[in-house]
Amino acid sequence: MDSDALDLMIIVPALLAGLLVLLTHVPLGAQVLRRGIVFIDLAIAQIAALGVIIAGVAELDPHSWAVQAAAATAAVLGAVLLTWTERRWPDVQEAQIGVMFILAASAGILLVAHNPHGGEHLQDLLAGQILWVRYEQLLLPAAGTLLICTLLYHMGERLSRLGFYLVFALAVTASVQLVGVYLVFTSLIVPALAVRHYAPARRLWLAYLIGAAGYASGLLLSTLYDLPSGALIVWCLTLLAMLAYAVGPKPGPHSVRPHH
């Protein structure tokens, strides 16, 4: 390992991207657990990624607003469809979410089947290329994060199911392109799982701390050892979450699982 080769300035925009994702995904992840729809994030993230793939097939500029619009449109349509399926068949909603995920993933594979760089593009959308995020790419996600955080602060638990799905879809749209599907899921669910037995007043800031430490350590180690950043962040964040859960309070013997 050559420590002189480590340029910490490369990590800064990537870490800022991760923190932007965490700002919205940590509170949304807590709501996902409470609502009992854990796999919605994977489905919506995959549908947003499908929107990006469709924009690529249409040969749109990958850094244009049109691609963002395509991803947002796909995610919002997915959110509306999930709202309808839940009202129509509420007893099998989790299964329907899984079906939507696999359909979106399969559609993406079909759309890039004849693209010589299709496999690489799919890999980027799944695992992300967070280490190569540039500062200018953070402007639109930062504006979206501000809007979503404002909505969550003022509405919070009062959001209807459709409202929650729509806010969720908009949050996932930008984050998928910044960090990839795997990190979207990890950022949403893992911190929320780690702090679920802590006192309510401590959960949010502790979840943010776990997430930020996971991104920072994963980025640092990936730069030091030349390993894929997204995958390493997933592992670092998860290991830190496991540690936080292990040293934290445990549910009592008479704890009752909440009804959804």
Side-chain angles (χ1 to χ4, degrees):
M1 178 182 65
D2 183 8
S3 59
D4 293 332
L6 175 61
D7 185 356
L8 292 179
M9 295 308 295
I10 295 176
I11 296 175
V12 175
L15 181 59
L16 290 176
L19 295 178
L20 279 177
V21 169
L22 289 169
L23 277 173
T24 55
H25 286 41
V26 165
L28 285 172
Q31 288 205 42
V32 164
L33 286 185
R34 284 195 292 270
R35 293 168 184 261
I37 45 175
V38 172
F39 292 107
I40 182 181
D41 46 344
L42 273 178
I44 295 294
Q46 191 66 57
I47 293 169
L50 178 61
V52 176
I53 292 172
I54 291 172
V57 171
E59 299 184 348
L60 299 176
D61 181 355
H63 303 298
S64 69
W65 284 70
V67 174
Q68 296 285 346
T73 300
V76 167
L77 289 174
V80 172
L81 180 57
L82 281 173
T83 305
W84 179 79
T85 59
E86 183 180 39
R87 290 174 180 168
R88 184 71 176 81
W89 303 287
D91 54 321
V92 290
Q93 177 67 351
E94 197 76 350
Q96 292 168 141
I97 290 172
V99 171
M100 287 188 64
F101 165 77
I102 206 68
L103 285 174
S106 299
I109 292 172
L110 291 172
L111 285 172
V112 301
H114 298 295
N115 184 334
H117 302 291
E120 181 181 343
H121 189 39
L122 283 175
Q123 178 69 17
D124 288 347
L125 285 171
L126 290 173
Q129 288 290 329
I130 186 174
L131 193 60
W132 307 115
V133 169
R134 301 186 303 274
Y135 286 108
E136 56 267 27
Q137 291 177 260
L138 302 178
L139 295 177
L140 185 59
T145 296
L146 179 61
L147 174 62
I148 292 165
C149 286
T150 302
L151 284 172
L152 291 174
Y153 178 79
H154 289 290
M155 298 294 292
E157 299 293 334
R158 293 183 290 130
L159 280 172
S160 66
R161 184 54 67 97
L162 176 59
F164 173 74
Y165 279 164
L166 291 176
V167 169
F168 190 93
L170 293 176
V172 166
T173 295
S175 59
V176 159
Q177 297 175 71
L178 283 177
V179 302
V181 173
Y182 297 157
L183 270 176
V184 166
F185 182 83
T186 305
S187 301
L188 277 160
I189 299 303
V190 173
L193 281 174
V195 303
R196 68 189 186 279
H197 297 316
Y198 281 80
R202 301 178 61 191
R203 287 176 192 165
L204 187 62
W205 70 261
L206 184 56
Y208 278 132
L209 183 60
I210 292 167
Y215 272 89
S217 57
L219 285 167
L220 182 62
L221 290 173
S222 70
T223 306
L224 281 170
Y225 295 103
D226 192 25
L227 291 170
S229 300
L232 198 52
I233 294 169
V234 167
W235 272 93
C236 287
L237 205 161
T238 302
L239 290 173
L240 288 170
M242 291 169 64
L243 177 62
Y245 179 82
V247 302
K250 300 299 181 290
H254 303 293
S255 296
V256 179
R257 184 180 178 182
H259 295 286
H260 302 293

